[in-house]
Amino acid sequence: EDQVTQSPEALRLQEGESSSLNCSYTVSGLRGLFWYRQDPGKGPEFLFTLYSAGEEKEKERLKATLTKKESFLHITAPKPEDSATYLCAVGGSGNTGKLIFGQGTTLQVKP
Amino acid sequence: EAQVTQNPRYLITVTGKKLTVTCSQNMNHEYMSWYRQDPGLGLRQIYYSMNVEVTDKGDVPEGYKVSRKEKRNFPLILESPSPNQTSLYFCASSRSGTGSYEQYFGPGTRLTVT
């Protein structure tokens, strides 16, 4: 069964304190791994797509990496505006186009 | 601007009163999908559409209907809403339904059924 697990559930950082979010996945044949940012009451905002182990993508203070079993979202020198819930998803192995989402990591960055 | 739009954004209704939530995308995407998001349950797929006139059930389709008569539009219909359909709903679209492409989400519709 396709499954995505994110850790930690919640993370509190001081501004400038770098850290990483983890996404472990189980899927039959990875079609794509996706990272999203979601602010309260809003739609998930697409950040990155990763396809193969060893791949990395960067955007401002965020860098996503991928191995055969997990992905990491590294946040370097975060700012309060980086506070949000970060969602990881994989393309499901059935022919539905469905994304299988993790429960998310809620990040709070304090000034 | 490339986007997915939904209307209404907020809706309070009563049990049994039919309603439609509209969804439209301007990216010429083939694939569209509806999700609901509930605390502790995450995002769950309701219905999806691989292309015009091609729709199918997701994980939680009971109580919902959809149609895809045009490529850009994918309305969600609740024929007889019940309180357990109170939720935050998102429409999403993607280049294709292979699971290999990112999905772009709308801003959400917060539905309350009393």
Side-chain angles (χ1 to χ4, degrees):
Chain A
E1 180 185 353
D2 300 338
Q3 194 167 352
V4 176
T5 304
Q6 292 186 245
S7 62
E9 288 187 14
L11 182 61
R12 287 186 178 182
L13 300 173
Q14 288 296 130
E15 184 172 4
E17 180 186 1
S18 302
S19 188
S20 297
L21 282 55
N22 177 264
C23 170
S24 299
Y25 64 90
T26 304
V27 65
S28 300
L30 182 67
R31 302 180 184 194
L33 185 138
F34 311 95
W35 281 99
Y36 289 86
R37 169 192 171 130
Q38 186 176 26
D39 293 297
K42 296 190 176 181
E45 175 190 348
F46 169 70
L47 294 174
F48 303 110
T49 303
L50 300 167
Y51 289 113
S52 55
E55 190 174 359
E56 298 183 354
K57 294 273 181 75
E58 280 190 74
K59 180 180 179 180
E60 297 181 355
R61 295 177 293 282
L62 301 177
K63 183 168 85 172
T65 62
L66 182 65
T67 72
K68 287 187 177 180
K69 293 184 178 179
E70 55 191 351
S71 177
F72 293 93
L73 185 65
H74 307 278
I75 303 177
T76 302
K79 298 181 177 181
E81 54 261 42
D82 294 322
S83 298
T85 295
Y86 291 86
L87 298 168
C88 173
V90 297
S93 54
N95 294 322
T96 67
K98 176 175 65 177
L99 293 183
I100 312 295
F101 282 89
Q103 293 296 317
T105 294
T106 299
L107 172 66
Q108 184 181 27
V109 182
K110 295 191 171 182
Chain B
E1 180 190 355
Q3 60 182 345
V4 178
T5 57
Q6 296 178 229
N7 282 292
R9 296 288 317 279
Y10 302 90
L11 180 59
I12 301 174
T13 189
V14 296
T15 299
K17 186 177 182 182
K18 181 179 178 180
L19 66 92
T20 299
V21 184
T22 65
C23 172
S24 183
Q25 51 93 4
N26 63 0
M27 295 170 277
N28 200 36
H29 283 168
E30 288 187 351
Y31 181 86
M32 297 186 75
S33 181
W34 277 101
Y35 294 84
R36 62 179 287 175
Q37 187 174 37
D38 302 287
L41 297 177
L43 282 153
R44 295 178 292 168
Q45 190 183 49
I46 304 170
Y47 266 94
Y48 65 95
S49 171
M50 289 292 191
N51 213 324
V52 176
E53 301 290 3
V54 182
T55 64
D56 209 342
K57 297 176 181 178
D59 294 323
V60 287
E62 293 76 23
Y64 306 94
K65 284 176 58 178
V66 294
S67 68
R68 185 99 179 269
K69 294 184 171 62
E70 305 167 283
K71 198 170 189 179
R72 63 184 295 128
N73 296 324
F74 190 44
L76 179 70
I77 303 158
L78 285 71
E79 295 268 1
S80 183
S82 62
N84 64 11
Q85 293 179 297
T86 292
S87 187
L88 182 56
Y89 291 87
F90 294 106
C91 179
S93 74
S94 179
R95 192 187 309 181
S96 80
T98 62
S100 301
Y101 297 101
E102 59 274 7
Q103 293 185 16
Y104 294 91
F105 285 78
T109 295
R110 186 169 292 281
L111 172 65
T112 302
V113 183
T114 60

